[in-house]
C-alpha cells in the first residue's frame, strides 16, 4: 500500500491500477462512516477488500452501483483496476451524518495530495455535491462538457506536480436507484475514451 504523507485515510490502489484498461483512473468518494468502528488509516483498503469479498446481495449500494456504472460483472473487474480514496479526512459517525466545516476543509488539500502522489490520468468524483460545491481550489480549468443520456458534467483539467489529469463529477452512487445506473454509464464511457 502506498502511504501518502498528510492523508489520514490512505487510498486503495488496485493491483492492476498502473496498467489497467481504465488508464490510471482514480475514483474519489466523500467520507468514511465509522459506525463505532476504529478510525484507522487503512480503513479505505479494508472497506474495498470487504466489497471484493462479499456477494452482490451484501454490498452497499455505493459499491454495487459503482461496479454497474462501469459495466463490471465482477467486483475485481473494477476495484483491482482503479485507485479509490475518500476526500474527507475525518471519519463521520454514520451514514446520516453531514460533514461539518472542519470536515469539508480537508477535501481540497487531500485531493491535491492524491493527484501529486498518484499522478492519475483521469479522476471521477463520485459526488455531485462535492464536485460542484466543495472541490473548487487548485490549478484547474474547464476544458470540455459531456452530455450523454441527459447526464452532464463539465470536464476539468487539473494540474499536479509534473503533470495533469482530466476530472469529472457524477452523482453519488448511493443516490442512483434501480436501473438508472444505465443512464450514467454512457457519460463515464465517453469520459474514459477522452484523450
Amino acid at each position: 500500500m502506498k502511504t501518502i504523507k498528510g492523508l489520514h485515510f490512505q487510498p486503495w490502489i488496485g493491483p492492476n491500477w498502473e496498467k489497467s484498461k481504465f488508464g490510471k483512473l482514480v475514483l474519489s468518494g466523500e467520507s468514511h462512516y465509522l459506525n463505532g468502528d476504529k478510525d484507522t488509516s487503512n480503513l479505505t483498503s479494508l472497506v474495498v477488500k470487504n466489497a471484493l469479498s462479499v456477494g452482490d446481495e451484501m454490498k452497499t449500494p455505493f459499491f454495487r452501483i459503482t461496479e454497474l456504472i462501469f459495466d463490471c460483472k465482477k467486483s475485481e473487474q473494477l476495484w483491482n483496476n482503479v485507485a479509490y480514496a475518500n476526500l474527507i479526512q475525518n471519519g463521520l459517525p454514520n451514514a446520516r451524518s453531514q460533514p461539518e466545516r472542519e470536515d469539508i476543509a480537508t477535501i481540497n488539500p487531500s485531493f491535491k495530495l492524491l493527484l501529486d502522489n498518484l499522478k492519475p490520468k483521469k479522476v471521477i468524483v463520485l459526488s455531485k455535491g462535492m464536485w460542484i460545491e466543495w472541490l473548487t481550489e487548485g490549478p484547474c480549468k474547464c476544458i470540455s462538457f459531456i452530455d450523454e443520456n441527459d447526464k452532464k458534467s463539465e470536464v476539468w483539467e487539473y494540474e499536479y506536480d509534473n503533470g495533469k489529469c482530466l476530472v469529472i463529477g457524477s452523482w453519488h452512487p448511493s443516490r442512483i436507484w434501480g436501473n438508472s445506473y444505465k443512464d450514467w454509464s454512457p457519460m463515464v464511457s465517453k469520459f474514459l475514451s477522452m484523450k
Side-chain angles (χ1 to χ4, degrees):
M1 179 172 91
K2 180 179 179 76
T3 300
I4 299 176
K5 188 176 180 181
L7 287 184
H8 177 68
F9 295 117
Q10 295 299 313
W12 159 265
I13 300 173
N16 308 325
W17 180 66
E18 294 210 38
K19 296 180 180 177
S20 107
K21 66 179 182 177
F22 300 125
K24 288 187 80 174
L25 174 68
V26 170
L27 302 179
S28 63
E30 280 187 25
S31 56
H32 282 297
Y33 306 115
L34 300 180
N35 296 318
D37 293 336
K38 190 174 178 183
D39 190 351
T40 63
S41 64
N42 66 342
L43 186 57
T44 306
S45 288
L46 293 173
V47 169
V48 174
K49 284 177 184 174
N50 182 59
L52 284 166
S53 69
V54 300
D56 287 344
E57 68 281 353
M58 297 296 290
K59 279 191 201 131
T60 64
F62 179 89
F63 285 97
R64 190 175 65 251
I65 298 299
T66 302
E67 292 163 14
L68 291 171
I69 288 170
F70 281 84
D71 196 29
C72 293
K73 306 292 186 250
K74 297 186 181 229
S75 298
E76 298 83 10
Q77 292 174 303
L78 179 64
W79 302 106
N80 284 347
N81 292 291
V82 298
Y84 170 72
N86 281 324
L87 296 181
I88 293 176
Q89 294 301 295
N90 303 325
L92 302 184
N94 57 59
R96 294 179 187 260
S97 304
Q98 291 300 309
E100 302 290 335
R101 183 173 292 148
E102 62 269 14
D103 305 318
I104 294 167
T106 67
I107 293 172
N108 283 295
S110 65
F111 191 62
K112 180 173 179 8
L113 285 169
L114 277 170
L115 296 185
D116 286 344
N117 284 273
L118 297 184
K119 303 190 182 315
K121 299 212 182 292
K122 294 182 179 160
V123 178
I124 299 177
V125 178
L126 299 171
S127 165
K128 276 284 194 183
M130 187 165 59
W131 173 240
I132 294 168
E133 296 173 29
W134 303 329
L135 201 56
T136 56
E137 296 176 5
C140 57
K141 62 183 176 184
C142 182
I143 62 164
S144 185
F145 190 79
I146 296 176
D147 183 352
E148 290 289 319
N149 229 25
D150 282 337
K151 303 303 174 197
K152 304 171 183 162
S153 183
E154 294 177 339
V155 180
W156 284 70
E157 182 181 81
Y158 275 76
E159 293 180 18
Y160 52 76
D161 289 346
N162 299 314
K164 56 189 172 183
C165 64
L166 299 178
V167 184
I168 64 167
S170 76
W171 277 11
H172 193 290
S174 65
R175 303 280 185 259
I176 298 173
W177 294 285
N179 289 328
S180 62
Y181 69 86
K182 293 177 182 176
D183 298 334
W184 289 94
S185 290
M187 186 187 82
V188 168
S189 293
K190 185 163 187 176
F191 175 65
L192 293 175
S193 69
M194 291 179 75
K195 300 294 182 205

